[in-house]
Amino acid sequence: MTAQDDAQLARRTWLVVPLYNEATVIASVIENTREVFPNIVCIDDGSADDSAALAEAAGAHLVRHPINLGQGAALQTGFDWVLTYTDADWVVTFDADGQHRTEDAMAMVRCAQAGNLGFVLGSRFLADTHQAGLLKRMVLQTVAWISAKRGGLKLTDAHNGLRVLSREALSRIHLHQNRMAHASEITTQLAHTHLPWAEMPVTIDYTEYSMSKGQSLLNGVNILTDLWFGGHKA
């Protein structure tokens, strides 16, 4: 695939970025990402800082929640917005804290396009470069096992926020879990579409900043708790 092909593919793709109190990094994340993907919508989930204004100034489209509802709610708002206001062929879910790599997202979109796939999901554990510690890895693998048992996909990394969804797959997602259990709900709903799919290796950059925003081992335990007590609705 040529650089021109990549540029055309990127123009047919929209990034959905949930946003909550990321004023420290959001401008640089949007500016860097728009070098590859020009179309980004940020869903400001009731931020108490200047995140929304900074994202918009950096070139992102902006949708606002007046109060904080949670990442699942922000994603569903973004999905609805893309389906209503754009003709995107592909949607990428992308975190606002700088932990995802644009080159990984582009590789996943290429894979989805080449294989005519319904969706492609990122996995930090398929790469030799994963930065997760042993305990965090064990927690996340337990999450993946529970998710598969509850009707989701058999994944190596069930709570990776980097995903590529076709428009068809996007139209079949209707999230009800607003907080951490939404990730398992997404995989369960995607499994029920029976669309062709793939899992690809990606790198998650655990910076000091992203760790402070919820990438700790405790957050993994919170995912398990949320899944166990809330995931039955997925």
Side-chain angles (χ1 to χ4, degrees), residues 165-230:
L165 309 174
S166 68
R167 190 177 189 91
E168 181 178 1
L170 191 71
S171 69
R172 301 196 200 181
I173 293 177
H174 304 283
L175 298 177
H176 304 286
Q177 296 291 338
N178 287 347
R179 298 197 179 274
M180 297 310 299
H182 78 272
S184 297
E185 187 178 25
I186 287 177
T187 60
T188 298
Q189 292 186 10
L190 288 173
H192 292 164
T193 69
H194 302 293
L195 293 169
W197 64 282
E199 193 178 27
M200 286 186 64
V202 301
T203 299
I204 303 297
D205 291 315
Y206 294 110
T207 64
E208 182 177 346
Y209 176 80
S210 71
M211 293 283 285
S212 73
K213 296 293 290 186
Q215 296 304 319
S216 65
L217 176 61
L218 177 60
N219 191 55
V221 175
N222 289 337
I223 290 171
L224 271 176
T225 302
D226 204 2
L227 176 61
W228 188 259
F229 290 105

Short mmCIF file of all heavy atoms in Angstrom, two decimals, residues 165-230:
data_model
loop_
_atom_site.label_atom_id
_atom_site.label_comp_id
_atom_site.label_asym_id
_atom_site.label_seq_id
_atom_site.Cartn_x
_atom_site.Cartn_y
_atom_site.Cartn_z
N LEU A 165 -13.28 -0.46 13.95
CA LEU A 165 -14.61 -1.00 13.69
C LEU A 165 -15.08 -0.54 12.32
O LEU A 165 -14.94 0.64 11.97
CB LEU A 165 -15.61 -0.52 14.74
CG LEU A 165 -15.21 -0.70 16.21
CD1 LEU A 165 -16.24 -0.04 17.11
CD2 LEU A 165 -15.07 -2.17 16.53
N SER A 166 -15.65 -1.46 11.55
CA SER A 166 -16.29 -1.06 10.30
C SER A 166 -17.59 -0.34 10.62
O SER A 166 -18.12 -0.43 11.74
CB SER A 166 -16.59 -2.29 9.44
OG SER A 166 -17.60 -3.09 10.05
N ARG A 167 -18.12 0.35 9.63
CA ARG A 167 -19.39 1.05 9.85
C ARG A 167 -20.49 0.06 10.22
O ARG A 167 -21.34 0.34 11.08
CB ARG A 167 -19.76 1.85 8.61
CG ARG A 167 -20.93 2.80 8.82
CD ARG A 167 -21.24 3.65 7.61
NE ARG A 167 -22.21 4.68 7.96
CZ ARG A 167 -21.90 5.90 8.38
NH1 ARG A 167 -20.63 6.25 8.46
NH2 ARG A 167 -22.85 6.77 8.69
N GLU A 168 -20.48 -1.11 9.59
CA GLU A 168 -21.49 -2.11 9.90
C GLU A 168 -21.38 -2.57 11.35
O GLU A 168 -22.39 -2.67 12.07
CB GLU A 168 -21.36 -3.31 8.97
CG GLU A 168 -22.41 -4.39 9.22
CD GLU A 168 -22.31 -5.57 8.28
OE1 GLU A 168 -21.40 -5.57 7.42
OE2 GLU A 168 -23.14 -6.49 8.41
N ALA A 169 -20.16 -2.86 11.80
CA ALA A 169 -19.98 -3.27 13.20
C ALA A 169 -20.41 -2.16 14.14
O ALA A 169 -21.07 -2.41 15.17
CB ALA A 169 -18.52 -3.65 13.44
N LEU A 170 -20.04 -0.94 13.81
CA LEU A 170 -20.38 0.21 14.66
C LEU A 170 -21.89 0.33 14.84
O LEU A 170 -22.37 0.62 15.95
CB LEU A 170 -19.82 1.49 14.03
CG LEU A 170 -19.85 2.73 14.90
CD1 LEU A 170 -18.84 2.62 16.02
CD2 LEU A 170 -19.56 3.97 14.06
N SER A 171 -22.63 0.09 13.78
CA SER A 171 -24.09 0.25 13.84
C SER A 171 -24.75 -0.80 14.73
O SER A 171 -25.91 -0.65 15.12
CB SER A 171 -24.69 0.18 12.43
OG SER A 171 -24.58 -1.13 11.90
N ARG A 172 -24.02 -1.86 15.07
CA ARG A 172 -24.59 -2.93 15.89
C ARG A 172 -24.20 -2.84 17.36
O ARG A 172 -24.54 -3.72 18.15
CB ARG A 172 -24.16 -4.29 15.33
CG ARG A 172 -24.58 -4.52 13.89
CD ARG A 172 -24.46 -5.99 13.55
NE ARG A 172 -24.40 -6.23 12.12
CZ ARG A 172 -24.31 -7.43 11.57
NH1 ARG A 172 -24.26 -8.50 12.35
NH2 ARG A 172 -24.26 -7.58 10.27
N ILE A 173 -23.47 -1.80 17.72
CA ILE A 173 -23.04 -1.63 19.11
C ILE A 173 -23.97 -0.65 19.82
O ILE A 173 -24.19 0.47 19.34
CB ILE A 173 -21.59 -1.13 19.19
CG1 ILE A 173 -20.65 -2.21 18.67
CG2 ILE A 173 -21.22 -0.75 20.62
CD1 ILE A 173 -19.21 -1.79 18.64
N HIS A 174 -24.49 -1.07 20.94
CA HIS A 174 -25.36 -0.22 21.75
C HIS A 174 -24.97 -0.43 23.22
O HIS A 174 -25.44 -1.35 23.87
CB HIS A 174 -26.84 -0.55 21.52
CG HIS A 174 -27.25 -0.46 20.08
ND1 HIS A 174 -27.48 0.73 19.44
CD2 HIS A 174 -27.42 -1.44 19.15
CE1 HIS A 174 -27.81 0.50 18.18
NE2 HIS A 174 -27.76 -0.80 17.98
N LEU A 175 -24.08 0.42 23.70
CA LEU A 175 -23.50 0.24 25.03
C LEU A 175 -24.45 0.72 26.12
O LEU A 175 -25.05 1.78 26.02
CB LEU A 175 -22.18 1.00 25.13
CG LEU A 175 -21.07 0.55 24.18
CD1 LEU A 175 -19.85 1.42 24.35
CD2 LEU A 175 -20.73 -0.91 24.40
N HIS A 176 -24.55 -0.09 27.17
CA HIS A 176 -25.32 0.27 28.36
C HIS A 176 -24.43 0.40 29.58
O HIS A 176 -24.81 1.05 30.56
CB HIS A 176 -26.41 -0.77 28.62
CG HIS A 176 -27.33 -0.98 27.46
ND1 HIS A 176 -28.30 -0.07 27.10
CD2 HIS A 176 -27.40 -1.99 26.54
CE1 HIS A 176 -28.95 -0.51 26.03
NE2 HIS A 176 -28.42 -1.66 25.67
N GLN A 177 -23.24 -0.22 29.52
CA GLN A 177 -22.28 -0.12 30.62
C GLN A 177 -21.48 1.16 30.43
O GLN A 177 -20.71 1.29 29.49
CB GLN A 177 -21.36 -1.33 30.63
CG GLN A 177 -22.06 -2.65 30.91
CD GLN A 177 -22.57 -2.74 32.34
OE1 GLN A 177 -22.08 -2.05 33.23
NE2 GLN A 177 -23.56 -3.58 32.55
N ASN A 178 -21.65 2.11 31.32
CA ASN A 178 -21.00 3.41 31.16
C ASN A 178 -19.55 3.40 31.58
O ASN A 178 -18.75 4.20 31.07
CB ASN A 178 -21.75 4.48 31.96
CG ASN A 178 -23.08 4.84 31.32
OD1 ASN A 178 -23.35 4.49 30.17
ND2 ASN A 178 -23.92 5.52 32.09
N ARG A 179 -19.17 2.51 32.50
CA ARG A 179 -17.82 2.60 33.06
C ARG A 179 -16.98 1.41 32.61
O ARG A 179 -17.03 1.01 31.45
CB ARG A 179 -17.91 2.78 34.57
CG ARG A 179 -18.64 4.11 34.88
CD ARG A 179 -18.46 4.61 36.28
NE ARG A 179 -19.16 5.89 36.45
CZ ARG A 179 -18.64 7.07 36.14
NH1 ARG A 179 -17.40 7.17 35.70
NH2 ARG A 179 -19.35 8.17 36.30
N MET A 180 -16.16 0.82 33.46
CA MET A 180 -15.13 -0.10 32.98
C MET A 180 -15.69 -1.34 32.29
O MET A 180 -15.06 -1.91 31.41
CB MET A 180 -14.22 -0.51 34.14
CG MET A 180 -13.43 0.64 34.76
SD MET A 180 -12.55 1.66 33.57
CE MET A 180 -11.46 0.48 32.84
N ALA A 181 -16.88 -1.79 32.68
CA ALA A 181 -17.45 -3.00 32.09
C ALA A 181 -17.82 -2.81 30.62
O ALA A 181 -18.15 -3.78 29.94
CB ALA A 181 -18.66 -3.47 32.88
N HIS A 182 -17.76 -1.57 30.12
CA HIS A 182 -18.14 -1.35 28.72
C HIS A 182 -17.23 -2.12 27.76
O HIS A 182 -17.67 -2.53 26.68
CB HIS A 182 -18.09 0.15 28.37
CG HIS A 182 -16.70 0.66 28.14
ND1 HIS A 182 -15.89 1.15 29.16
CD2 HIS A 182 -15.96 0.75 27.01
CE1 HIS A 182 -14.73 1.50 28.66
NE2 HIS A 182 -14.74 1.28 27.35
N ALA A 183 -15.96 -2.32 28.12
CA ALA A 183 -15.03 -2.98 27.20
C ALA A 183 -15.44 -4.44 26.97
O ALA A 183 -15.38 -4.94 25.85
CB ALA A 183 -13.61 -2.90 27.74
N SER A 184 -15.88 -5.11 28.03
CA SER A 184 -16.38 -6.48 27.87
C SER A 184 -17.70 -6.49 27.13
O SER A 184 -17.98 -7.40 26.34
CB SER A 184 -16.54 -7.14 29.24
OG SER A 184 -15.29 -7.25 29.88
N GLU A 185 -18.52 -5.47 27.35
CA GLU A 185 -19.78 -5.37 26.63
C GLU A 185 -19.55 -5.21 25.12
O GLU A 185 -20.26 -5.81 24.30
CB GLU A 185 -20.60 -4.20 27.17
CG GLU A 185 -22.01 -4.13 26.58
CD GLU A 185 -22.83 -3.00 27.16
OE1 GLU A 185 -22.25 -2.00 27.64
OE2 GLU A 185 -24.08 -3.11 27.13
N ILE A 186 -18.55 -4.41 24.75
CA ILE A 186 -18.23 -4.24 23.33
C ILE A 186 -17.85 -5.57 22.71
O ILE A 186 -18.35 -5.94 21.63
CB ILE A 186 -17.08 -3.23 23.14
CG1 ILE A 186 -17.57 -1.80 23.41
CG2 ILE A 186 -16.51 -3.31 21.72
CD1 ILE A 186 -16.49 -0.75 23.32
N THR A 187 -16.95 -6.33 23.36
CA THR A 187 -16.51 -7.59 22.75
C THR A 187 -17.66 -8.59 22.67
O THR A 187 -17.75 -9.36 21.71
CB THR A 187 -15.32 -8.20 23.52
OG1 THR A 187 -15.69 -8.47 24.87
CG2 THR A 187 -14.14 -7.25 23.50
N THR A 188 -18.55 -8.59 23.65
CA THR A 188 -19.71 -9.48 23.59
C THR A 188 -20.61 -9.12 22.43
O THR A 188 -21.06 -9.99 21.67
CB THR A 188 -20.49 -9.43 24.91
OG1 THR A 188 -19.65 -9.87 25.98
CG2 THR A 188 -21.72 -10.32 24.85
N GLN A 189 -20.88 -7.83 22.27
CA GLN A 189 -21.74 -7.41 21.17
C GLN A 189 -21.09 -7.66 19.82
O GLN A 189 -21.75 -8.04 18.86
CB GLN A 189 -22.13 -5.94 21.34
CG GLN A 189 -23.04 -5.71 22.54
CD GLN A 189 -23.55 -4.28 22.64
OE1 GLN A 189 -23.38 -3.47 21.73
NE2 GLN A 189 -24.17 -3.97 23.75
N LEU A 190 -19.78 -7.44 19.73
CA LEU A 190 -19.08 -7.73 18.48
C LEU A 190 -19.12 -9.23 18.17
O LEU A 190 -19.27 -9.62 17.00
CB LEU A 190 -17.64 -7.24 18.56
CG LEU A 190 -17.44 -5.72 18.51
CD1 LEU A 190 -15.97 -5.38 18.77
CD2 LEU A 190 -17.89 -5.14 17.18
N ALA A 191 -18.98 -10.07 19.17
CA ALA A 191 -19.06 -11.52 18.94
C ALA A 191 -20.40 -11.90 18.33
O ALA A 191 -20.47 -12.77 17.45
CB ALA A 191 -18.84 -12.26 20.25
N HIS A 192 -21.46 -11.23 18.77
CA HIS A 192 -22.80 -11.56 18.28
C HIS A 192 -23.04 -11.10 16.85
O HIS A 192 -24.03 -11.51 16.24
CB HIS A 192 -23.84 -10.96 19.22
CG HIS A 192 -23.86 -11.59 20.58
ND1 HIS A 192 -24.49 -11.02 21.67
CD2 HIS A 192 -23.29 -12.74 21.03
CE1 HIS A 192 -24.32 -11.80 22.73
NE2 HIS A 192 -23.59 -12.84 22.37
N THR A 193 -22.18 -10.23 16.32
CA THR A 193 -22.34 -9.81 14.93
C THR A 193 -21.93 -10.90 13.95
O THR A 193 -22.35 -10.89 12.79
CB THR A 193 -21.51 -8.55 14.61
OG1 THR A 193 -20.11 -8.88 14.63
CG2 THR A 193 -21.80 -7.43 15.59
N HIS A 194 -21.04 -11.80 14.39
CA HIS A 194 -20.50 -12.87 13.54
C HIS A 194 -19.74 -12.32 12.34
O HIS A 194 -19.59 -13.02 11.32
CB HIS A 194 -21.60 -13.83 13.09
CG HIS A 194 -22.33 -14.47 14.24
ND1 HIS A 194 -21.73 -15.38 15.09
CD2 HIS A 194 -23.61 -14.30 14.69
CE1 HIS A 194 -22.61 -15.76 16.01
NE2 HIS A 194 -23.75 -15.13 15.79
N LEU A 195 -19.26 -11.09 12.44
CA LEU A 195 -18.44 -10.51 11.38
C LEU A 195 -17.02 -11.06 11.47
O LEU A 195 -16.54 -11.38 12.57
CB LEU A 195 -18.43 -8.99 11.50
CG LEU A 195 -19.75 -8.27 11.24
CD1 LEU A 195 -19.66 -6.81 11.67
CD2 LEU A 195 -20.15 -8.37 9.77
N PRO A 196 -16.31 -11.14 10.35
CA PRO A 196 -14.91 -11.57 10.40
C PRO A 196 -14.07 -10.54 11.15
O PRO A 196 -14.33 -9.33 11.05
CB PRO A 196 -14.51 -11.67 8.93
CG PRO A 196 -15.45 -10.77 8.21
CD PRO A 196 -16.75 -10.84 8.97
N TRP A 197 -13.05 -11.02 11.87
CA TRP A 197 -12.29 -10.11 12.71
C TRP A 197 -10.87 -10.62 12.88
O TRP A 197 -10.53 -11.73 12.49
CB TRP A 197 -12.96 -9.93 14.07
CG TRP A 197 -13.02 -11.19 14.89
CD1 TRP A 197 -13.88 -12.24 14.74
CD2 TRP A 197 -12.16 -11.56 15.98
NE1 TRP A 197 -13.63 -13.23 15.67
CE2 TRP A 197 -12.58 -12.84 16.43
CE3 TRP A 197 -11.08 -10.92 16.61
CZ2 TRP A 197 -11.95 -13.48 17.50
CZ3 TRP A 197 -10.46 -11.57 17.67
CH2 TRP A 197 -10.89 -12.83 18.10
N ALA A 198 -10.04 -9.78 13.49
CA ALA A 198 -8.66 -10.14 13.79
C ALA A 198 -8.22 -9.44 15.06
O ALA A 198 -8.79 -8.42 15.46
CB ALA A 198 -7.73 -9.76 12.63
N GLU A 199 -7.20 -10.00 15.71
CA GLU A 199 -6.54 -9.37 16.84
C GLU A 199 -5.10 -9.10 16.42
O GLU A 199 -4.46 -9.97 15.82
CB GLU A 199 -6.58 -10.29 18.06
CG GLU A 199 -6.20 -9.61 19.37
CD GLU A 199 -6.32 -10.55 20.56
OE1 GLU A 199 -6.19 -11.79 20.40
OE2 GLU A 199 -6.53 -10.04 21.67
N MET A 200 -4.60 -7.90 16.70
CA MET A 200 -3.27 -7.51 16.24
C MET A 200 -2.42 -6.99 17.39
O MET A 200 -2.94 -6.38 18.33
CB MET A 200 -3.38 -6.40 15.17
CG MET A 200 -3.84 -6.86 13.82
SD MET A 200 -3.77 -5.52 12.60
CE MET A 200 -1.99 -5.19 12.54
N PRO A 201 -1.11 -7.20 17.32
CA PRO A 201 -0.23 -6.67 18.37
C PRO A 201 -0.12 -5.16 18.31
O PRO A 201 0.01 -4.58 17.22
CB PRO A 201 1.12 -7.33 18.06
CG PRO A 201 1.06 -7.68 16.61
CD PRO A 201 -0.37 -7.99 16.31
N VAL A 202 -0.21 -4.52 19.47
CA VAL A 202 -0.01 -3.08 19.58
C VAL A 202 0.82 -2.80 20.82
O VAL A 202 0.93 -3.65 21.71
CB VAL A 202 -1.35 -2.31 19.67
CG1 VAL A 202 -2.23 -2.57 18.45
CG2 VAL A 202 -2.11 -2.67 20.95
N THR A 203 1.39 -1.62 20.87
CA THR A 203 2.17 -1.20 22.04
C THR A 203 1.39 -0.18 22.84
O THR A 203 0.85 0.78 22.28
CB THR A 203 3.51 -0.59 21.60
OG1 THR A 203 4.26 -1.58 20.89
CG2 THR A 203 4.31 -0.12 22.81
N ILE A 204 1.28 -0.42 24.14
CA ILE A 204 0.69 0.55 25.06
C ILE A 204 1.84 1.23 25.80
O ILE A 204 2.65 0.57 26.45
CB ILE A 204 -0.26 -0.13 26.07
CG1 ILE A 204 -1.37 -0.89 25.34
CG2 ILE A 204 -0.85 0.91 27.02
CD1 ILE A 204 -2.28 -0.03 24.52
N ASP A 205 1.91 2.55 25.68
CA ASP A 205 3.00 3.30 26.32
C ASP A 205 2.56 3.74 27.71
O ASP A 205 1.75 4.66 27.87
CB ASP A 205 3.36 4.52 25.46
CG ASP A 205 4.04 4.12 24.17
OD1 ASP A 205 4.95 3.27 24.21
OD2 ASP A 205 3.68 4.67 23.12
N TYR A 206 3.09 3.05 28.73
CA TYR A 206 2.77 3.38 30.11
C TYR A 206 3.70 4.48 30.60
O TYR A 206 4.77 4.21 31.15
CB TYR A 206 2.90 2.14 30.99
CG TYR A 206 1.89 1.06 30.69
CD1 TYR A 206 2.30 -0.14 30.10
CD2 TYR A 206 0.54 1.22 31.00
CE1 TYR A 206 1.38 -1.14 29.83
CE2 TYR A 206 -0.37 0.23 30.73
CZ TYR A 206 0.04 -0.95 30.15
OH TYR A 206 -0.87 -1.94 29.87
N THR A 207 3.30 5.71 30.37
CA THR A 207 4.07 6.84 30.87
C THR A 207 3.69 7.12 32.32
O THR A 207 2.68 6.61 32.83
CB THR A 207 3.81 8.09 30.03
OG1 THR A 207 2.42 8.46 30.19
CG2 THR A 207 4.08 7.82 28.56
N GLU A 208 4.49 7.92 32.98
CA GLU A 208 4.15 8.32 34.35
C GLU A 208 2.79 8.99 34.37
O GLU A 208 1.98 8.78 35.28
CB GLU A 208 5.23 9.26 34.89
CG GLU A 208 4.99 9.68 36.33
CD GLU A 208 6.12 10.56 36.86
OE1 GLU A 208 7.19 10.62 36.22
OE2 GLU A 208 5.92 11.18 37.93
N TYR A 209 2.52 9.80 33.33
CA TYR A 209 1.23 10.49 33.26
C TYR A 209 0.09 9.50 33.10
O TYR A 209 -0.92 9.56 33.82
CB TYR A 209 1.23 11.49 32.10
CG TYR A 209 -0.12 12.15 31.93
CD1 TYR A 209 -0.50 13.22 32.74
CD2 TYR A 209 -1.03 11.70 30.97
CE1 TYR A 209 -1.74 13.80 32.62
CE2 TYR A 209 -2.27 12.28 30.84
CZ TYR A 209 -2.63 13.33 31.66
OH TYR A 209 -3.87 13.90 31.54
N SER A 210 0.19 8.56 32.14
CA SER A 210 -0.92 7.63 31.91
C SER A 210 -1.14 6.72 33.11
O SER A 210 -2.28 6.36 33.42
CB SER A 210 -0.69 6.81 30.63
OG SER A 210 0.35 5.86 30.80
N MET A 211 -0.06 6.35 33.81
CA MET A 211 -0.21 5.55 35.02
C MET A 211 -1.03 6.30 36.06
O MET A 211 -1.86 5.73 36.75
CB MET A 211 1.16 5.19 35.58
CG MET A 211 1.97 4.24 34.72
SD MET A 211 1.44 2.54 34.83
CE MET A 211 2.10 2.09 36.44
N SER A 212 -0.80 7.60 36.16
CA SER A 212 -1.53 8.40 37.13
C SER A 212 -3.00 8.55 36.77
O SER A 212 -3.83 8.86 37.61
CB SER A 212 -0.90 9.80 37.26
OG SER A 212 -1.19 10.59 36.12
N LYS A 213 -3.32 8.29 35.48
CA LYS A 213 -4.70 8.42 35.03
C LYS A 213 -5.45 7.10 35.05
O LYS A 213 -6.57 7.01 34.54
CB LYS A 213 -4.72 8.99 33.60
CG LYS A 213 -4.16 10.38 33.47
CD LYS A 213 -5.03 11.41 34.18
CE LYS A 213 -6.33 11.60 33.46
NZ LYS A 213 -7.13 12.69 34.05
N GLY A 214 -4.87 6.05 35.60
CA GLY A 214 -5.65 4.83 35.77
C GLY A 214 -5.07 3.60 35.13
O GLY A 214 -5.80 2.64 34.89
N GLN A 215 -3.78 3.56 34.85
CA GLN A 215 -3.17 2.37 34.25
C GLN A 215 -2.45 1.53 35.30
O GLN A 215 -1.58 0.73 34.98
CB GLN A 215 -2.19 2.79 33.15
CG GLN A 215 -2.87 3.48 31.98
CD GLN A 215 -3.96 2.62 31.38
OE1 GLN A 215 -3.81 1.43 31.24
NE2 GLN A 215 -5.07 3.23 31.05
N SER A 216 -2.81 1.70 36.54
CA SER A 216 -2.16 0.97 37.62
C SER A 216 -2.75 -0.43 37.77
O SER A 216 -3.78 -0.77 37.18
CB SER A 216 -2.34 1.72 38.95
OG SER A 216 -3.72 1.75 39.29
N LEU A 217 -2.09 -1.27 38.60
CA LEU A 217 -2.63 -2.59 38.91
C LEU A 217 -3.99 -2.47 39.58
O LEU A 217 -4.90 -3.26 39.30
CB LEU A 217 -1.65 -3.34 39.82
CG LEU A 217 -2.12 -4.72 40.31
CD1 LEU A 217 -2.34 -5.65 39.12
CD2 LEU A 217 -1.11 -5.30 41.28
N LEU A 218 -4.16 -1.46 40.45
CA LEU A 218 -5.45 -1.27 41.11
C LEU A 218 -6.56 -1.10 40.09
O LEU A 218 -7.67 -1.59 40.27
CB LEU A 218 -5.38 -0.07 42.05
CG LEU A 218 -6.69 0.29 42.78
CD1 LEU A 218 -7.17 -0.88 43.64
CD2 LEU A 218 -6.50 1.55 43.62
N ASN A 219 -6.26 -0.39 38.99
CA ASN A 219 -7.28 -0.21 37.97
C ASN A 219 -7.68 -1.54 37.35
O ASN A 219 -8.84 -1.77 37.02
CB ASN A 219 -6.78 0.74 36.87
CG ASN A 219 -7.88 1.16 35.93
OD1 ASN A 219 -8.90 1.67 36.37
ND2 ASN A 219 -7.69 0.93 34.64
N GLY A 220 -6.70 -2.45 37.18
CA GLY A 220 -7.02 -3.77 36.68
C GLY A 220 -7.97 -4.51 37.61
O GLY A 220 -8.90 -5.19 37.18
N VAL A 221 -7.73 -4.39 38.93
CA VAL A 221 -8.63 -5.00 39.90
C VAL A 221 -10.02 -4.37 39.81
O VAL A 221 -11.05 -5.05 39.90
CB VAL A 221 -8.06 -4.85 41.33
CG1 VAL A 221 -9.05 -5.36 42.36
CG2 VAL A 221 -6.73 -5.59 41.44
N ASN A 222 -10.07 -3.05 39.60
CA ASN A 222 -11.36 -2.37 39.44
C ASN A 222 -12.10 -2.88 38.21
O ASN A 222 -13.33 -2.99 38.22
CB ASN A 222 -11.15 -0.86 39.33
CG ASN A 222 -10.73 -0.24 40.65
OD1 ASN A 222 -10.99 -0.80 41.71
ND2 ASN A 222 -10.09 0.92 40.59
N ILE A 223 -11.37 -3.18 37.14
CA ILE A 223 -11.99 -3.74 35.94
C ILE A 223 -12.65 -5.08 36.28
O ILE A 223 -13.79 -5.34 35.90
CB ILE A 223 -10.95 -3.93 34.82
CG1 ILE A 223 -10.50 -2.58 34.27
CG2 ILE A 223 -11.52 -4.77 33.68
CD1 ILE A 223 -9.31 -2.67 33.31
N LEU A 224 -11.92 -5.92 37.00
CA LEU A 224 -12.48 -7.22 37.39
C LEU A 224 -13.74 -7.05 38.23
O LEU A 224 -14.75 -7.72 38.01
CB LEU A 224 -11.44 -8.01 38.20
CG LEU A 224 -10.47 -8.90 37.43
CD1 LEU A 224 -9.46 -9.51 38.39
CD2 LEU A 224 -11.22 -10.00 36.68
N THR A 225 -13.69 -6.13 39.19
CA THR A 225 -14.84 -5.90 40.06
C THR A 225 -16.03 -5.41 39.27
O THR A 225 -17.16 -5.88 39.42
CB THR A 225 -14.48 -4.88 41.16
OG1 THR A 225 -13.36 -5.37 41.90
CG2 THR A 225 -15.65 -4.66 42.10
N ASP A 226 -15.79 -4.43 38.39
CA ASP A 226 -16.86 -3.86 37.58
C ASP A 226 -17.45 -4.90 36.65
O ASP A 226 -18.66 -5.00 36.46
CB ASP A 226 -16.32 -2.67 36.77
CG ASP A 226 -17.41 -1.69 36.37
OD1 ASP A 226 -18.57 -1.92 36.74
OD2 ASP A 226 -17.09 -0.71 35.68
N LEU A 227 -16.59 -5.73 36.06
CA LEU A 227 -17.06 -6.80 35.17
C LEU A 227 -17.90 -7.81 35.94
O LEU A 227 -18.95 -8.24 35.48
CB LEU A 227 -15.86 -7.48 34.52
CG LEU A 227 -16.15 -8.69 33.64
CD1 LEU A 227 -17.04 -8.30 32.46
CD2 LEU A 227 -14.85 -9.32 33.15
N TRP A 228 -17.41 -8.20 37.13
CA TRP A 228 -18.10 -9.25 37.88
C TRP A 228 -19.47 -8.80 38.36
O TRP A 228 -20.45 -9.54 38.27
CB TRP A 228 -17.24 -9.65 39.08
CG TRP A 228 -17.80 -10.84 39.80
CD1 TRP A 228 -18.51 -10.87 40.95
CD2 TRP A 228 -17.69 -12.22 39.37
NE1 TRP A 228 -18.84 -12.16 41.28
CE2 TRP A 228 -18.35 -13.00 40.32
CE3 TRP A 228 -17.09 -12.82 38.28
CZ2 TRP A 228 -18.45 -14.38 40.21
CZ3 TRP A 228 -17.16 -14.20 38.16
CH2 TRP A 228 -17.85 -14.95 39.13
N PHE A 229 -19.56 -7.54 38.83
CA PHE A 229 -20.83 -7.08 39.40
C PHE A 229 -21.72 -6.34 38.40
O PHE A 229 -22.92 -6.22 38.62
CB PHE A 229 -20.56 -6.17 40.61
CG PHE A 229 -20.02 -6.93 41.78
CD1 PHE A 229 -18.68 -6.85 42.12
CD2 PHE A 229 -20.84 -7.74 42.55
CE1 PHE A 229 -18.17 -7.55 43.20
CE2 PHE A 229 -20.34 -8.44 43.64
CZ PHE A 229 -19.00 -8.35 43.96
N GLY A 230 -21.09 -5.83 37.31
CA GLY A 230 -21.90 -5.09 36.35
C GLY A 230 -22.00 -5.72 34.99
O GLY A 230 -22.89 -5.42 34.21
#
